[in-house]
Structures are given as structure tokens and as C-alpha cells.
Amino acid sequence: AAHSPAACLSAACSFVTDMNLMEFPQRCTLEPMQQVDNDPSSPSDQLRPWSRDLQDEARTELLVMGAPRCYSRGAHGHPGKSKRRRIINVVQRQAANVRERKRMFSLNEAFDELRRKVPTFAYEKRLSRIDTLRLAIVYISFMTDLLEQNSQNSPA
DNA sequence: TAGGCCATCTGGTCCT
DNA sequence: AGGACCAGATGGCCTA
């Protein structure tokens, strides 16, 4: 009963209403940190000074896993497993960072595409990633139930 | 000012 | 060996 089309639509509407999306944030415009350039030769460091910080910090030494910048997961993240440290140099670390940025960029592109697919009111606020996922779940449930209802009502 | 959201860095793990 | 994926940590921005 909770998954009837009416219930789903009601849930979707209440969900959307609950999110209080009637205020328009400046986030709809591209923030500097979102202006990911696909051209690695562009002067992106001006937008991402932290990248330059990393370069300055790492310029003179090799980055070794387990070294000072190691965080919580390091040696005690997965107890019981003996692990060899994978030694990478600055160039490899920076290349990995670039790949990770591109990966996250493509992930966000997918989220943007999903945002365009789910129905929303004339929102002034962009859906967050978690809200996009939740709304998509509700929307898919609603459409599924609608299809089932139509197939039951259609003459055999 | 606290909390939510996000971008980024980072190191561990899996896979080719 | 190296790339992809993942998740923790961190810091910035924004809103209530």
C-alpha cells in the first residue's frame, strides 16, 4: 500500500516540499572549485592554491605511504593484513591526484544528468547529491508502480 | 556559529 | 606496475 502510485507521488511531493527548495543559492553558478579544466596546461593553480601548496610541500621529497601526511587509515586502517608500502614519487602522486579529480568530475557529471532526469518544481536550489539519489529512488518507484497499474488496467 | 555539502588530497585495495 | 575505485581527513563556502 505504501508503494501505490498515489502514495509514491505523495511521498515525492512531501519529500520535495520538505527539502525546502524555494531559496536560490548562488551555488547554481559555477563555483571556482567546480571550474574543473580538462586542459592540464591551463593555469588552474590560480583557482586551486592548495594544489600549489602540495607541489611546494612535496617538491623536495618523495611521498611515501605512511609518511607524515598519512591519515587515519594508514597502518591501522585494516588490521591483520601485512602490507607492503607502495612507494610513489611526486610525479606519480600528482598524476594520481589529476586522475582522481577527473574521476570525481565525471561522477558529478553523472549526478548533473540525473538531476535533469528527476522531476522537480521550479527549484531555485540545486539538489544535493544525496537528495538527488533519494528523489530518484522515489521517482523510479512511482514510475514503476504506474507502469504496473497501467498493465493491470489495460485489456488483455 | 554549527552543521551540511562539496572539492581535493591521500593511501589502501582491487584489477588488468 | 600502474590505473581505478574507495573511503577517511581536511578545509572552504553557505545557510539557518
Side-chain angles (χ1 to χ4, degrees):
Chain A
H3 287 286
S4 70
C8 281
L9 184 58
S10 172
C13 289
S14 63
F15 172 78
V16 158
T17 305
D18 287 347
M19 288 196 299
N20 188 23
L21 299 176
M22 303 309 289
E23 293 135 33
F24 194 86
Q26 294 77 359
R27 260 191 199 166
C28 289
T29 60
L30 215 54
E31 297 173 4
M33 288 170 68
Q34 293 177 295
Q35 296 173 354
V36 177
D37 48 298
N38 290 324
D39 179 10
S41 64
S42 66
S44 58
D45 281 354
Q46 292 180 353
L47 296 175
R48 293 190 291 271
W50 45 89
S51 297
R52 192 166 43 209
D53 289 345
L54 171 68
Q55 292 172 16
D56 290 340
E57 179 181 341
R59 185 155 294 150
T60 57
E61 62 178 11
L62 292 178
L63 292 177
V64 178
M65 290 188 177
R69 288 188 77 95
C70 172
Y71 294 124
S72 65
R73 288 178 74 201
H76 41 281
H78 299 278
K81 283 187 178 180
S82 66
K83 52 189 65 112
R84 283 181 306 143
R85 285 184 177 176
R86 183 169 163 183
I87 300 177
I88 61 174
N89 59 29
V90 177
V91 173
Q92 287 174 318
R93 183 65 259 169
Q94 289 177 345
N97 289 347
V98 169
R99 287 194 303 272
E100 179 66 9
R101 281 198 296 269
K102 287 182 177 178
R103 195 181 70 85
M104 295 307 296
F105 182 75
S106 67
L107 179 67
N108 285 333
E109 279 186 325
F111 268 106
D112 285 338
E113 189 173 350
L114 184 59
R115 281 188 190 97
R116 291 192 293 270
K117 298 295 184 185
V118 296
T120 59
F121 295 137
Y123 291 135
E124 299 176 353
K125 180 173 185 175
R126 191 184 72 152
L127 286 174
S128 68
R129 295 192 291 192
I130 184 66
D131 286 340
T132 301
L133 290 177
R134 286 173 175 153
L135 183 56
I137 291 170
V138 170
Y139 181 56
I140 291 170
S141 297
F142 168 67
M143 296 304 288
T144 301
D145 289 345
L146 205 59
L147 277 175
E148 289 176 357
Q149 197 178 52
N150 281 351
S151 64
Q152 289 172 1
N153 292 342
S154 63

